[in-house]
Amino acid sequence: MALKPRYLQELSDLFVHDLKRSHYYRKLPESQRHDLDDRIADEASQGLYPLLPCGDEEALRRLSEAVRKELNIPLPPSVVDILRQVDGFVANSVSLYGVDAELRDDRFDSGPGLLAENLVKWSSFAETIQKYLFVGDSDLWFFALELDSGRAVALQRSTLKPAHYFTTVEEMVDDMMQQALGEFGDEMDDLEDETDNESSGFNFSRS
Amino acid sequence: MSRRAQASAPRPEMVNAVTEMLRNLEQICPDPSIIGRCPELPGVVLDKVWATCLDRDGTEYAKVNRDFETMRAEYFKALVAHPVGRSLALLAVGLDGVAMLELGRPPAYVTEARAASDTPTRARRDSYNCHHIVPKSARPESSSTLINHPTNFVVAKTTRRGRDQSENPHHFWHSLLLHPQTHNAPAEPIPLYVVRPLFPFYPPITQGFHTAEELRKKLASLGAPPLPEIWEQRLLEFSKASKHRPYVVPKEFHEITQMFGDLFKTQNKDPAVNQQLRSGLAAKGAQLAAEYLPAGAYVNGQPLLAGHTPKRSLPVIESNRQPGPDVQKPASPRKSRSTKHHLPKPIVQPQPIQQKV
C-alpha cells in the first residue's frame, strides 16, 4: 500500500524550504549552492521527493541482513515497503528511522537508522527485546511494530505501554508524516471556531 | 505546526507562563555553583515528586497529539518572544533554530547537505524534542503540578549519529533515570525523581565560554542583548563543567549502550536465552540508575535502601510549584494577534522552593 503522496510532497517541500533558509546553505560557496539547487530541481523533475529519498534495493537488502544478524529477527516486509517509499525523516520532533548510513553506498548520516535505534532501545528498555521493532519516535510516542502480531502501534514514551494501534503500518507512517507537518487538527480548529468549543488540552492541564 | 498555529501569536497567558517558567528556574537553585555539581549531568537536578506511575488510559491518541501540538507551538513562540528566552534560545539552537521556534516548530536545522551524482540528495539536521519533565504517564499527588505547562517542558537535543547517542541527552534521561523508576513501579504513589534541567534548552550552549565578556560578545554577534547576571553565571558554570566544550552524554553510559548492542549479536532465538538477556540488561540498567538516584528512589520496582549513597552527586530538590490559573481559550485565535508585543507579566508569584541539596 502506498503512503499518501501529498504528505511526501509537503514534507519534501518543507525540507527544501528549511535547507534554503538555513545558515549552512547561505554560507555555501555559490558554485556548490548552484549544484545543490540543480540536483534538487533535477530530482523534482523526475517525480522524486528531494531531501526525502526512498530506500534503494541494495541498501534495503543490506539492512535486512544486518537486522537478521544483529537483532535476530527478520525485517518485516511491511517495514521494507515503507522504507522503499521513504528512507526516514526528522521533522517537528517526529523521526522515522531510515536505512542506517553505513549500509548505504553514500554512508552519509542524515538521520536515525533503524538498526542502530533498535539496538539502543533494546539495550535501554530490555522488556522490548524482540517484542517491538521500533520504527520512529516523537515527543510523546515511540512508533513500533509488535513483532508477534505484526500490528503497528504507538507506545507511550515513558511507560512503553501501547497507546494506540493502527490498522496498517502505512496508516501509522501517514500519521507520523501528518504530525511532522503539524497538520492534524486544522479541521477541528475550524469546527471549534464555529461552535466556540474548548479543547481541554489547550489549557494548561494535568494530562 | 498547523497553519493556524503558525499564523497566530502566543496569547498573553502563554507569555506569562513563560515568564513564570523562567522565574521558577531562577528560584529553584539561586546558587550557580550547583550547575557543575555533577559533571556527567551539568545543569541538571533531580526533582522529587510523589506520583503514581500509571498509564493514561482512555485518552484519545489523536486528541493528545493535537492538544500537545497546539500547546507546544504556542509555547515555542512565546519562549522566543521573551527577551531572556530568546537569548537563551540563540545560544542553544542558533539563529536557524530560533527561526523555527518562531514558527512554532521545534528546532531541527540543517547542518550539512550532500548531493553526489549517483545518490539522492540528503540533508543532515540537528534535532530537538520537547521533553515533559514530570512524565505524562505519571500522576503527581500534588494538585499543583501541571503536566502541560511551560514549567514542565524542556527543549532537549536528540541528534543521533548511528549508534552514537552522545548528543542525545533526551534518551539518556529516559533510559538511565526515568524508565528504571517507572518500570514495574508499584500502583501506589512513590517518590519519583524526575530530571529537571535548570535551563529551558539542553544543552544550553554549543560552545565554551570562559568569561561573561565572551558570552556577551557571542550574544551581540547574534543580535541579542546581554542576559541577566544569574543566567550568565549559570551558563559560565555549565561551560566550566563541560570543560568549555560542547556537552556530550557521559562516556561510560555511551560505551555500555554499545556493549549491550553487541550482546545481541551472540544471541539465538531460544526464549530462555532471551529472557536471561532481558534480566541481565535490566539489572545493568538498574545498577547504573542507582549510581545517580538517592535512597528511597524506586528502581525496577524496588526502593533503594536507606543506606544507599549514589556514586554521582546529582543535586536533589523538591519543588512544589504554585499553579498558574487555568487559561481559557480565547473565542478566536485571531483576536490574540494584538498581544504579540505585550510585555510579559507573571500570573502568580512562584512559591519558594524547598531546596535539598
Side-chain angles (χ1 to χ4, degrees):
Chain A
M1 207 165 88
L3 296 170
K4 287 189 177 170
R6 180 170 77 83
Y7 294 155
L8 291 167
Q9 185 62 61
E10 288 190 13
L11 264 184
S12 170
D13 292 346
L14 181 71
F15 291 159
V16 172
H17 180 259
D18 285 347
L19 171 69
K20 293 199 172 178
R21 61 182 288 167
S22 69
H23 183 73
Y24 165 79
Y25 177 83
R26 292 195 304 269
K27 293 286 176 189
L28 277 178
E30 199 175 343
S31 60
Q32 285 184 37
R33 208 163 55 233
H34 284 154
D35 284 350
L36 196 52
D37 289 345
D38 288 347
R39 283 303 310 273
I40 287 169
D42 187 43
E43 287 175 19
S45 71
Q46 292 175 48
L48 302 172
Y49 301 111
L51 299 177
L52 194 64
C54 45
D56 79 67
E57 291 302 323
E58 179 54 24
L60 288 169
R61 191 193 58 75
R62 288 184 203 132
L63 177 68
S64 296
E65 260 181 31
V67 165
R68 188 179 292 278
K69 184 179 167 197
E70 299 202 37
L71 301 180
N72 268 316
I73 56 166
L75 185 61
S78 56
V79 174
V80 177
D81 283 347
I82 293 293
L83 294 176
R84 202 171 269 136
Q85 297 174 69
V86 53
D87 187 10
F89 61 78
V90 177
N92 204 27
S93 289
V94 181
S95 298
L96 174 72
Y97 309 150
V99 177
D100 299 72
E102 67 267 26
L103 302 173
R104 283 193 272 104
D105 285 339
D106 63 10
R107 302 178 77 85
F108 179 67
D109 190 352
S110 57
L114 188 129
L115 175 62
E117 287 300 309
N118 277 277
L119 283 168
V120 168
K121 286 178 177 63
W122 284 8
S123 304
S124 304
F125 314 123
E127 71 273 25
T128 65
I129 295 172
Q130 294 188 337
K131 183 174 181 186
Y132 295 113
L133 180 72
F134 292 91
V135 297
D137 60 62
S138 70
D139 286 348
L140 303 178
W141 321 108
F142 286 122
F143 300 98
L145 225 70
E146 209 172 56
L147 288 168
D148 279 352
S149 66
R151 289 194 296 175
V153 60
L155 304 170
Q156 301 270 6
R157 180 134 197 162
S158 296
T159 61
L160 300 165
K161 295 286 177 4
H164 182 78
Y165 283 98
F166 299 85
T167 313
T168 62
V169 185
E170 285 82 2
E171 187 197 355
M172 180 170 76
V173 176
D174 278 339
D175 188 80
M176 290 169 70
M177 288 196 288
Q178 206 175 5
Q179 291 183 46
L181 290 162
E183 283 198 348
F184 50 84
D186 278 6
E187 299 81 3
M188 291 171 79
D189 274 349
D190 293 341
L191 185 66
E192 278 181 16
D193 278 354
E194 289 166 17
T195 59
D196 206 26
N197 282 343
E198 283 178 9
S199 159
S200 61
F202 194 61
N203 297 333
F204 302 137
S205 66
R206 297 193 69 197
S207 59
Chain B
M1 55 307 28
S2 66
R3 284 180 278 270
R4 171 72 47 81
Q6 271 198 26
S8 63
R11 295 167 299 144
E13 292 88 340
M14 181 59 86
V15 173
N16 289 343
V18 166
T19 301
E20 184 190 346
M21 176 271 290
L22 291 166
R23 179 170 297 146
N24 273 0
L25 282 177
E26 290 171 10
Q27 293 186 351
I28 282 174
C29 299
D31 175 8
S33 71
I34 206 171
I35 299 290
R37 193 74 60 83
C38 181
E40 296 86 359
L41 277 165
V44 166
V45 296
L46 292 174
D47 193 354
K48 182 182 179 183
V49 292
W50 283 88
T52 310
C53 300
L54 293 175
D55 298 321
R56 295 261 162 175
D57 290 332
T59 314
E60 196 206 338
Y61 166 81
K63 185 176 182 306
V64 170
N65 282 330
R66 174 183 177 269
D67 288 347
F68 179 63
E69 167 77 14
T70 308
M71 170 71 70
R72 191 186 62 177
E74 189 185 19
Y75 167 60
F76 288 160
K77 286 189 277 189
L79 184 55
V80 289
H82 189 289
V84 172
R86 186 176 189 84
S87 292
L88 291 171
L90 283 166
L91 291 169
V93 300
L95 286 163
D96 284 353
V98 167
M100 298 182 113
L101 290 163
E102 284 175 330
L103 293 169
R105 296 169 58 190
Y109 45 88
V110 175
T111 56
E112 191 181 349
R114 188 171 291 181
S117 58
D118 51 352
T119 57
T121 311
R122 291 176 184 269
R124 176 182 293 158
R125 290 163 175 256
D126 273 356
S127 60
Y128 292 76
N129 276 161
C130 186
H131 168 71
H132 281 85
I133 291 164
V134 178
K136 274 182 77 69
S137 54
R139 183 175 299 156
E141 289 298 290
S142 166
S143 60
S144 67
T145 305
L146 297 173
I147 301 293
N148 271 338
H149 188 281
T151 52
N152 200 42
F153 294 157
V154 61
V155 180
K157 196 167 192 186
T158 55
T159 301
R160 292 156 273 188
R161 310 260 184 250
R163 293 177 207 186
D164 179 356
Q165 303 280 317
S166 59
E167 290 184 76
N168 188 2
H170 189 215
H171 177 73
F172 177 53
W173 303 339
H174 267 282
S175 61
L176 179 72
L177 297 168
L178 293 173
H179 183 68
Q181 292 188 79
T182 57
H183 185 57
N184 290 332
E188 65 264 22
I190 60 166
L192 186 63
Y193 292 85
V194 298
V195 176
R196 186 175 288 282
L198 299 174
F199 302 92
F201 297 91
Y202 199 90
I205 47 177
T206 56
Q207 65 176 87
F209 297 101
H210 293 81
T211 64
E213 197 49 45
E214 277 182 33
L215 191 56
R216 288 172 201 154
K217 268 189 190 168
K218 176 69 179 182
L219 278 170
S221 74
L222 294 166
L227 280 161
E229 192 181 350
I230 186 171
W231 289 105
E232 283 188 345
Q233 288 176 347
R234 280 190 181 190
L235 291 166
L236 291 174
E237 286 292 333
F238 184 94
S239 182
K240 196 166 121 189
S242 55
K243 297 186 170 57
H244 304 297
R245 291 194 292 265
Y247 170 76
V248 290
V249 168
K251 197 178 168 195
E252 59 269 33
F253 173 76
H254 187 52
E255 284 173 351
I256 288 168
T257 300
Q258 296 221 22
M259 183 188 81
F260 285 170
D262 291 341
L263 287 176
F264 295 118
K265 291 178 184 172
T266 60
Q267 300 308 307
N268 59 33
K269 290 178 182 172
D270 182 345
V273 174
N274 277 314
Q275 187 51 48
Q276 201 179 357
L277 176 63
R278 284 189 187 92
S279 304
L281 288 173
K284 277 276 186 191
Q287 189 186 331
L288 259 181
E291 289 189 12
Y292 288 85
L293 294 169
Y298 277 72
V299 173
N300 203 16
Q302 297 296 322
L304 294 171
L305 299 176
H308 168 76
T309 308
K311 281 185 187 170
R312 323 287 173 145
S313 52
L314 252 183
V316 177
I317 65 162
E318 193 168 346
S319 67
N320 185 17
R321 196 186 57 76
Q322 186 76 23
D326 270 8
V327 185
Q328 297 301 307
K329 186 178 181 182
S332 163
R334 284 175 286 276
K335 289 181 184 170
S336 65
R337 283 182 188 164
S338 62
T339 64
K340 192 173 181 180
H341 301 297
H342 279 189
L343 286 173
K345 291 178 187 170
I347 311 170
V348 291
Q349 206 59 24
Q351 206 175 54
I353 288 160
Q354 183 189 351
Q355 196 168 320
K356 292 184 176 177
V357 180

